[in-house]
Amino acid sequence: MANYNNFKVETDSDGIALITWDMPGRSMNVFTEEVMRELDKIVDQVAGDAAIKGAVVTSGKDSFSGGADLTMLQRMLGVFAKEKLKDAEKATKDLFDNAGYMSKLFRKLETSGKPWVSAINGTCMGGAFELSLSCHARVAADSDKVKMALPEIKVGLFPGAGGTQRVPRLADTQAALQMLTSGQNLSPAKAKSMNLITAVAPADKLIDAAKDLIKGGLKPVQPWDEKGFKLPGGPVYSAAGANLWPPAIAILRRETYGNYPAASAILKCVYEGLLVPFDTALRIEQRYFTEVMQTTEAAMMIRSLFVSLQELNKGARRPEGVPETKFKKIGVLGAGFMGAGIAYVTAQAGIPVVLIDRDVPAAEKGKAHSAGLMDGLIKKGRATPEKKEQLLSLITATDDYSLLDGCDMVVEAVFEDSEIKKGVTEKAEAVLKPSAIFASNTSTIPITSLATNSKRPKNFVGIHFFSPVDKMMLVEIILGKKTGDKAVAMAIDYVRAIKKTPIVVNDTRGFYVNRCVLRYMSESYQMLIEGVPPAMIENAAKMAGMPVGPLALTDETAVDLAQKIMKQTIRDLGEKAVDQEQFALINTMVDTHGRFGRKNGKGFYDYPAKPAKKKLWPGLKDLYKQQDPDKIDVEVLKQRFLVTIALEAARVMEEGIVIDPREADVGSILAFGFAPYTGGALSYIDGMGAKAFVKLAKDLQKQYGKQFKAPKLLVDMADKGETFYQRFNPYKGEAKKAA
């Protein structure tokens, strides 16, 4: 029997081959070139051995598989880019053949004449779920650990190994489209109800259940290869099809504004694929997949939302040589909305928390926030009352600073006032052990100035959470002038322990994220002053790919906070640091009309009682003379939003505030949803090239003002034809990845 590096093949006395996928040296199985070649040989072995009646494929790890190794795709695209310069037609043909290898392999498996069953014991994503769908039956373990999905859309791709063809031939077309275009996770029960898996079995009986299907005479033929096969959702040209496809196209337009080539490709693959025989359908899918792989969107999304995100989550920016910290106890100072959220995510990670406020009732109120969040999860079936009790038992609500004794780290989240912060820092440091780290969750006050309150500034670091803490995946770690490596390493260890993504930022006003967000909001105030209708401003931002319009975002964070920030900036940097017309607009909103934002039910929007939805405040259009909407170029509005943010990200790199382009890109997407299809604020520039970007910025500067002036760094990059990932190569010595 052949030996394989990634699989173990054992045939039992019933003639059933158990194929266990267990890659050496990896925590999770993924598809690599070697894995696919080995699987190809195993299919031949099973098909060619008369003693083997059928095969069960499962995993030797606690998850089934994460799908394809996207760094493999990245390499493939790198080769394609080089070959294209020599012979474009041949390069595209090679890419088409490479892109189709996995699809051909799965087709070979399902037509091999022997029954195959996939025994799904844990997370089964992307290509691994496509492998399972090509088996003649699928059994999933009845466990919370089992999640199945085709999430390729989230990195600018789509399931290109038969996923767009098998899912709508097993499930109802509408449910299939929803699953493919959203990349949603399916529980075993949900997958079974969609007919995507055959059965759910107890985890300890999973392999037996899979083998029983083969013993029970499982047909080695897929339904779509049988004569007279009928589509579960009815043919495309039918009453059901006529009810489904026009609204499906409209919904796609509403959700994506045409920004995601992969999402449109999914609809085309399913629509065209369901009109033709299965093998032709696979070829259609392969063509669209080859096309989508060549898009800028796919290249940038794979890089930022898969490769860079993984690297940052693994601690790419962690200082070397500092031992990893396992946290025994964390202190949180301030039990307001932020502090309460920080206590919750810390307890969720299984770390005991001391939550301190000025008195016990205030601290208890902060602890009740965790109880409320857990109640919400229980309602959705995502948690149990036992889990709630367990989590609450980890949080000690108190006003007694002596309980901070023994904490590895304290996170300060009190009111944004230097004096209050000074007081709590001194009280906490009086109790803390010398090795403990003090972290401030400030959003506006520079860390270096706060660190002057500390007796040990090298142990003082900024940890900036975003609101609401339980939902936002990004955390900025801010270095003061004296912050030491140990403090940075511990801050990164903590952020990873609570399962969030850390980016490391040098000290500046507004750090990285808020500087970009303020530019986004500021451009919308500028548009209001110019008389652009408010609805156009919000819609153009969404069409550009932003999740929330800038006026709605200002309301969420509070209009009077925007006023406070402007006043503070004028106090610190003088009148010229703030646009006076924009300052007047915000003052009018707050002082004249008492519109503070969502918190008092009126801001740029009106917030009526539920279930009525918020709507733009009609008085907005009376503040400035309105332009004729037909004469406004929506494309230009979209560009203004993306360019103003990208320019700020470039300035932040130029000033050395962020030094790693991965952090600037991932940070912009995770923190405020910067158009994900671009791959992030710097990838947006790289995607069109610095030269084209600088020209665009200059055109906007002429027309709309100095906020579009390109920094020297970008002008220099445009002259040299450089990208951010070349100029600030985060891989040092691994230049191949950076291109």
Side-chain angles (χ1 to χ4, degrees):
M1 189 160 281
N3 275 334
Y4 302 102
N5 198 17
N6 301 287
F7 296 94
K8 196 160 77 177
V9 181
E10 306 159 290
T11 308
D12 66 11
S13 55
D14 294 312
I16 298 171
L18 177 63
I19 297 147
T20 308
W21 186 3
D22 196 351
M23 295 178 80
R26 290 207 189 222
S27 58
M28 191 182 252
N29 293 322
V30 288
F31 278 104
T32 58
E33 286 104 332
E34 183 187 49
V35 166
M36 290 193 284
R37 279 196 302 274
E38 289 191 356
L39 188 58
D40 207 339
K41 285 181 182 149
I42 292 169
V43 172
D44 288 340
Q45 183 188 330
V46 170
D49 186 342
I52 297 178
K53 303 281 179 281
V56 171
V57 61
T58 192
S59 161
K61 303 188 188 295
D62 59 1
S63 60
F64 187 87
S65 159
D69 176 4
L70 289 187
T71 46
M72 168 177 80
L73 275 186
Q74 248 196 337
R75 280 197 303 277
M76 208 152 101
L77 291 173
V79 170
F80 168 71
K82 284 196 189 98
E83 295 299 316
K84 196 175 168 190
L85 299 173
K86 298 181 209 158
D87 182 343
E89 201 173 310
K90 183 182 180 303
T92 310
K93 168 124 186 26
D94 289 347
L95 186 66
F96 177 75
D97 292 341
N98 287 333
Y101 182 72
M102 195 187 256
S103 186
K104 282 197 176 68
L105 170 58
F106 296 165
R107 185 64 178 145
K108 177 176 169 178
L109 181 151
E110 73 182 359
T111 55
S112 65
K114 298 274 176 78
W116 281 72
V117 181
S118 173
I120 302 169
N121 60 316
T123 304
C124 179
M125 297 285 162
F129 195 47
E130 289 180 290
L131 163 68
S132 301
L133 292 170
S134 70
C135 291
H136 304 96
R138 293 149 293 286
V139 186
D142 187 4
S143 151
D144 292 347
K145 278 195 191 150
V146 178
K147 286 186 180 63
M148 291 155 278
L150 294 171
E152 288 84 347
I153 190 76
K154 294 177 181 173
V155 290
L157 294 170
F158 67 85
T164 67
Q165 300 311 316
R166 291 187 180 93
V167 172
R169 282 170 173 79
L170 288 165
D172 167 62
T173 320
Q174 189 174 342
L177 285 176
Q178 198 177 346
M179 178 206 169
L180 293 164
T181 53
S182 69
Q184 75 197 88
N185 280 340
L186 305 178
S187 64
K190 174 76 175 156
K192 174 95 170 63
S193 74
M194 285 174 70
N195 194 37
L196 293 179
I197 61 173
T198 319
V200 180
D204 57 347
K205 300 269 190 307
L206 179 68
I207 304 299
D208 293 343
K211 287 182 170 183
D212 285 346
L213 284 169
I214 295 173
K215 287 183 208 165
L218 177 67
K219 269 179 112 169
V221 182
Q222 292 284 26
W224 44 88
D225 290 325
E226 301 254 32
K227 242 188 159 42
F229 168 68
K230 285 192 168 45
L231 289 168
V236 171
Y237 296 128
S238 66
N243 282 333
L244 170 73
W245 285 101
I249 294 160
I251 290 166
L252 179 81
R253 184 86 205 150
R254 185 189 73 199
E255 297 294 319
T256 68
Y257 295 100
N259 289 326
Y260 294 85
S264 336
I266 287 172
L267 257 69
K268 293 173 188 170
C269 283
V270 176
Y271 183 90
E272 294 171 26
L274 294 183
L275 293 171
V276 295
F278 193 73
D279 286 304
T280 313
L282 288 180
R283 199 161 176 78
I284 289 171
E285 180 189 74
Q286 194 178 340
R287 279 194 181 143
Y288 280 120
F289 192 68
T290 309
E291 197 178 289
V292 165
M293 279 219 305
Q294 294 174 62
T295 60
T296 305
E297 289 85 351
M300 298 301 164
M301 286 177 81
I302 290 171
R303 179 168 73 187
S304 292
L305 289 170
F306 181 79
V307 182
S308 298
L309 182 61
Q310 269 199 345
E311 288 164 352
L312 295 177
N313 283 340
K314 285 178 184 160
R317 286 297 314 282
R318 195 179 180 280
E320 284 171 20
V322 183
E324 201 166 325
T325 308
K326 292 274 177 270
F327 295 94
K328 295 187 188 67
K329 184 160 118 184
I330 297 267
V332 177
L333 310 181
F337 187 59
M338 288 303 276
I342 295 165
Y344 170 75
V345 295
T346 307
Q348 257 211 329
I351 304 167
V353 188
V354 178
L355 181 60
I356 293 187
D357 213 311
R358 61 183 177 278
D359 53 44
V360 173
E364 286 291 355
K365 190 179 168 210
K367 181 172 176 174
H369 176 71
S370 287
L373 288 172
M374 288 304 285
D375 287 340
L377 291 178
I378 292 169
K379 218 169 171 177
K380 290 180 185 148
R382 291 196 200 143
T384 59
E386 296 77 53
K387 284 251 170 74
K388 175 185 167 183
E389 287 316 311
Q390 195 183 340
L391 180 121
L392 292 176
S393 71
L394 289 169
I395 303 174
T396 307
T398 180
D399 59 358
D400 182 359
Y401 275 75
S402 70
L403 294 182
L404 292 175
D405 186 25
C407 280
D408 304 295
M409 182 158 96
V410 165
V411 183
E412 168 272 302
V414 299
F415 193 66
E416 283 288 278
D417 177 310
S418 300
E419 278 311 302
I420 298 175
K421 287 188 186 287
K422 182 178 188 319
V424 300
T425 306
E426 288 167 356
K427 275 188 185 167
E429 283 194 352
V431 184
L432 289 173
K433 58 188 180 191
S435 62
I437 299 300
F438 190 98
S440 173
N441 172 57
T442 177
S443 54
T444 49
I445 308 170
I447 289 298
T448 303
S449 72
L450 287 177
T452 56
N453 302 325
S454 169
K455 287 199 182 72
R456 31 188 186 186
K458 74 173 200 310
N459 282 10
F460 196 100
V461 67
I463 293 191
H464 179 213
F465 286 88
F466 297 91
S467 183
V469 178
D470 57 299
K471 292 203 170 67
M472 299 300 281
M473 294 315 296
L474 187 81
V475 178
E476 279 181 314
I477 292 170
I478 299 108
L479 310 184
K481 288 259 185 317
K482 296 183 176 170
T483 305
D485 276 0
K486 185 188 161 197
V488 181
M490 270 180 80
I492 289 177
D493 291 344
Y494 169 63
V495 173
R496 291 177 66 208
I498 58 172
K499 296 196 166 42
K500 296 195 183 292
T501 299
I503 66 169
V504 180
V505 181
N506 288 317
D507 207 2
T508 177
R509 174 181 301 277
F511 313 128
Y512 167 52
V513 168
N514 284 354
R515 278 181 57 168
C516 292
V517 172
L518 289 172
R519 288 282 174 181
Y520 176 48
M521 293 171 172
S522 168
E523 200 55 33
S524 69
Y525 310 153
Q526 194 55 46
M527 290 174 182
L528 278 176
I529 293 163
E530 290 166 17
V532 177
M536 272 190 96
I537 295 174
E538 295 293 82
N539 288 335
K542 288 187 189 149
M543 289 166 80
M546 301 299 288
V548 181
L551 302 176
L553 188 61
T554 306
D555 275 0
E556 290 297 330
T557 55
V559 187
D560 61 333
L561 177 65
Q563 185 189 45
K564 277 190 194 118
I565 292 172
M566 285 176 167
K567 283 181 175 170
Q568 184 69 42
T569 307
I570 290 169
R571 274 199 297 276
D572 294 348
L573 305 174
E575 297 273 324
K576 283 194 173 148
V578 167
D579 183 294
Q580 290 306 305
E581 280 185 297
Q582 294 183 20
F583 188 38
L585 160 67
I586 296 296
N587 288 338
T588 303
M589 292 288 290
V590 176
D591 303 335
T592 313
H593 297 286
R595 304 189 74 86
F596 297 169
R598 185 193 266 279
K599 65 180 178 184
N600 79 334
K602 48 187 191 172
F604 289 106
Y605 284 76
D606 281 323
Y607 297 87
K610 285 188 171 166
K613 285 189 173 161
K614 68 177 183 190
K615 56 182 188 302
L616 281 158
W617 173 45
L620 260 187
K621 59 182 181 298
D622 303 328
L623 298 181
Y624 301 96
K625 187 176 182 309
Q626 298 289 287
Q627 290 187 47
D628 175 355
D630 290 336
K631 294 194 173 136
I632 299 171
D633 187 341
V634 174
E635 279 308 309
V636 172
L637 296 181
K638 285 161 63 176
Q639 284 168 349
R640 284 173 68 177
F641 283 128
L642 298 181
V643 171
T644 194
I645 296 169
L647 281 167
E648 192 63 21
R651 287 182 202 109
V652 165
M653 293 295 287
E654 182 178 61
E655 292 164 31
I657 305 302
V658 175
I659 57 170
D660 188 325
R662 296 174 296 184
E663 295 183 303
D665 274 338
V666 171
S668 66
I669 296 173
L670 291 191
F672 57 94
F674 182 84
Y677 65 90
T678 62
L682 297 183
S683 284
Y684 171 62
I685 299 173
D686 279 0
M688 70 172 82
K691 200 169 185 173
F693 180 83
V694 169
K695 184 185 179 311
L696 175 59
K698 274 193 179 137
D699 294 346
L700 291 172
Q701 188 187 344
K702 267 189 217 125
Q703 191 98 28
Y704 301 103
K706 64 180 186 309
Q707 71 272 33
F708 291 107
K709 187 171 174 16
K712 279 199 181 72
L713 167 71
L714 271 179
V715 177
D716 187 45
M717 283 171 59
D719 289 345
K720 292 179 176 157
E722 282 182 326
T723 68
F724 278 98
Y725 283 75
Q726 287 164 342
R727 179 97 174 212
F728 300 92
N729 179 4
Y731 296 106
K732 297 183 189 63
E734 297 179 56
K736 63 179 193 312
K737 270 188 173 177

